Amino acid sequence: MEKTIAVIGLGLIGGSLAQAVKASGGYRVVGYDWDERVVSLAKERGMIDSAGDEEDLALADIVLVALHPKATLDYVRTHSDRVKKGALLIDMCGVKEEILRVLDPLAEEHGYIYIGGHPMAGKEFSGLEYADAALFAEANMLLVPGKQAEARHLAEAEALFYALGFGRVLTTTAKLHDQVIAFTSQLAHVVSSAYIKSPAAAYQTGYSAGSYKDLTRVARLNEDMWTELFIMNRVALTEEIDEIIRHLTEYREAIDAGDEAHLRALLKEGRLKKEAIG
């Protein structure tokens, strides 16, 4: 029997999820977005089977919420009573402790299963026009199970995401997720945003190559979403910012003092660590 998947939010991630689900086959996909034009465009492009309504939400076997963090909390708070009992609800937020704290009790109260999700994929651009089913090809998908999630629920979620093209699906805890993501993703966006503010950036044309491009790519971010992510994960993120400031200070002091031996040692230490961890 064909299952129904509801995709809430048809931006880059939601649109790509809807498109990938359609490509995988075996599901009826209903789409939801506050902008009716986006929903119509998604239907025209074959990303969804239909625009969703409250009845469709009540029939959905899996609900994928692809909204910004605050919007995710608001949507689930106001729609939990319409989610089918026993259904899987999986969010796509880039932070997990705060989302889990709010959504897991709602799932328990209303009888559906909550699993936190975080697709490790994206682009510098947002919106349905950039959606692509291949966005998740060989990417990692992180899952944080709620209290009601059993092994069979995780297995169902894993099977879905593998079918969508993810190369690896990992189960973790909300605390570990937020600690590591503060380093691997959020700090990189902070550094990129700060780096591009140098007055020298105005003269980079003709003087820049791969290093500049790599370091500034994620400065082209969605400031609304990333502000929410940074604030929700502020404890772990500020620890990582303090850590990089400490190391930058070491480099600055060695360079300012003309201390070649210390600078060489710092650079070698960084090279060896990168070679060791990949």
Side-chain angles (χ1 to χ4, degrees):
M1 182 177 176
E2 185 179 60
K3 289 191 173 185
T4 297
I5 289 185
V7 180
I8 316 300
L10 295 172
L12 171 66
I13 297 300
S16 298
L17 285 169
Q19 195 171 3
V21 171
K22 283 294 295 177
S24 72
Y27 296 98
R28 173 175 174 261
V29 183
V30 294
Y32 297 76
D33 196 277
W34 67 271
D35 190 338
E36 293 181 1
R37 294 170 300 175
V38 169
V39 178
S40 296
L41 181 60
K43 192 171 185 304
E44 287 175 14
R45 294 185 177 180
M47 296 177 173
I48 61 175
D49 293 298
S50 64
D53 56 24
E54 291 188 7
E55 183 178 344
D56 288 312
L57 184 61
L59 295 173
D61 302 286
I62 300 174
V63 181
L64 304 178
V65 185
L67 301 170
H68 291 183
K70 288 183 180 179
T72 293
L73 296 178
D74 290 342
Y75 183 88
V76 179
R77 281 190 183 109
T78 56
H79 292 81
S80 276
D81 59 344
R82 295 161 205 167
V83 177
K84 183 170 73 173
K85 292 186 184 302
L88 291 183
L89 185 144
I90 307 172
D91 78 279
M92 301 293 147
C93 294
V95 290
K96 291 273 82 83
E97 280 198 287
E98 180 63 16
I99 302 298
L100 182 76
R101 183 185 68 80
V102 176
L103 298 197
D104 203 26
L106 287 171
E108 185 175 6
E109 177 184 353
H110 294 281
Y112 59 85
I113 307 302
Y114 169 69
I115 298 176
H118 185 185
M120 301 303 295
K123 296 180 181 179
E124 304 96 288
F125 306 101
S126 59
L128 182 71
E129 60 268 34
Y130 298 104
D132 183 358
L135 182 67
F136 310 116
E138 298 306 313
N140 291 335
M141 180 68 189
L142 304 179
L143 298 180
V144 176
K147 291 179 182 178
Q148 307 304 309
E150 301 175 1
R152 60 190 174 94
H153 301 125
L154 278 171
E156 182 178 1
E158 289 173 2
L160 169 64
F161 291 117
Y162 278 125
L164 301 190
F166 285 89
R168 185 166 56 166
V169 182
L170 304 173
T171 300
T172 184
T173 65
K175 184 175 181 61
L176 180 60
H177 171 279
D178 286 2
Q179 287 177 336
V180 179
I181 287 299
F183 171 70
T184 62
S185 176
Q186 295 179 350
L187 180 64
H189 284 77
V190 170
V191 170
S192 184
S193 182
Y195 173 78
I196 198 64
K197 293 177 181 178
S198 169
Y203 307 100
Q204 61 84 21
T205 302
Y207 293 81
S208 60
S211 299
Y212 171 84
K213 183 178 180 180
D214 290 344
L215 193 50
T216 60
R217 181 181 66 82
V218 295
R220 191 185 282 111
L221 46 68
N222 181 317
E223 61 271 16
D224 295 324
M225 180 184 74
W226 285 98
T227 293
E228 292 183 19
L229 292 171
F230 292 165
I231 297 300
M232 283 190 179
N233 200 28
R234 58 186 173 273
V235 173
L237 181 54
T238 53
E239 288 177 354
E240 290 299 337
I241 292 173
D242 289 342
E243 182 73 6
I244 197 171
I245 287 173
R246 181 173 70 82
H247 290 298
L248 285 172
T249 300
E250 292 175 337
Y251 285 95
R252 188 198 183 285
E253 290 176 351
I255 293 167
D256 187 50
D259 189 340
E260 293 186 10
H262 189 202
L263 179 59
R264 187 176 295 107
L266 290 171
L267 294 169
K268 181 178 180 181
E269 180 185 24
R271 174 177 62 80
L272 292 176
K273 186 161 189 178
K274 173 59 179 174
E275 290 173 354
I277 64 178

